[in-house]
Amino acid sequence: MRLMLIGVGRLKAGPERELFERYFKRLADLARTSGISGVDLREIEEGRARRPEDRQAEESRLILASLPRGARLALLDERGAALSSTQWASEIGKARDSAAPAYALVIGGPDGLDPSLRGQAQSVLSFGAMTWPHQLVRVMAAEQLYRSLSILVGHPYHRA
């Protein structure tokens, strides 16, 4: 199984990108020892339509087109479930153990995610009820994916 992090928009140069890259590299390095065949980052262009609903629909089509058939789809959304790191690791482990080709975590754009995409997702997760800047969400997602794999392999990074 591959881990995919799909984000609408581009992460610009700066301290957030440097921190993201640090955790993403750790994630890629740990993936090899945890039954994950690799990690991918896909940046989806922001929609160009005038109406937010049309932008969301356009972005949703691009997100779905980037997924391999049978991928497990997880969305980040402030209305999603707030899982513990251990619970999320368990979800990723179950996807891996069920031979899913990919586990794709999606971060929406400024307008959020299309409701139809929520309907197709196997899980909708939240980093809390607050709205977070896109740059920080990418960092937190990379760190939590790394933490999840460290939990799955018994690496001492996660001490709870």
Side-chain angles (χ1 to χ4, degrees), residues 76-91:
L76 279 175
D77 185 289
E78 63 202 19
R79 294 161 294 188
L83 300 181
S84 70
S85 296
T86 304
Q87 289 171 316
W88 197 19
S90 177
E91 179 177 307

Side-chain angles (χ1 to χ4, degrees), residues 11-150:
L11 191 57
K12 295 176 177 60
E16 297 90 352
R17 183 170 191 92
E18 291 170 19
L19 190 55
F20 168 80
E21 288 173 351
R22 181 183 312 161
Y23 281 112
F24 202 75
K25 180 180 181 334
R26 286 183 188 180
L27 173 64
D29 292 345
L30 187 58
R32 296 184 204 107
T33 62
S34 62
I36 303 295
S37 61
V39 295
D40 299 315
L41 172 64
R42 306 243 170 112
E43 293 182 317
I44 303 295
E45 292 278 331
E46 287 184 33
R48 301 203 184 281
R50 286 181 156 246
R51 296 179 343 126
E53 300 83 11
D54 295 337
R55 284 193 298 271
Q56 288 174 335
E58 184 181 331
E59 292 162 0
S60 178
R61 284 190 297 277
L62 293 171
I63 289 165
L64 291 172
S66 73
L67 298 175
R69 183 179 302 269
R72 187 159 168 85
L73 182 60
L75 308 180
L76 279 175
D77 185 289
E78 63 202 19
R79 294 161 294 188
L83 300 181
S84 70
S85 296
T86 304
Q87 289 171 316
W88 197 19
S90 177
E91 179 177 307
I92 292 169
K94 286 176 186 171
R96 177 198 62 196
D97 297 345
S98 71
Y103 182 94
L105 179 64
V106 177
I107 302 168
D111 299 308
L113 293 165
D114 189 72
S116 69
L117 192 61
R118 284 179 62 100
Q120 296 180 57
Q122 284 74 39
S123 60
V124 182
L125 310 170
S126 172
F127 286 153
M130 294 180 180
T131 301
W132 293 95
H134 187 264
Q135 301 91 322
L136 293 181
V137 171
R138 286 230 196 155
V139 172
M140 293 187 309
E143 190 280 335
Q144 283 297 303
L145 287 169
Y146 171 69
R147 183 176 298 273
S148 292
L149 293 192
S150 74

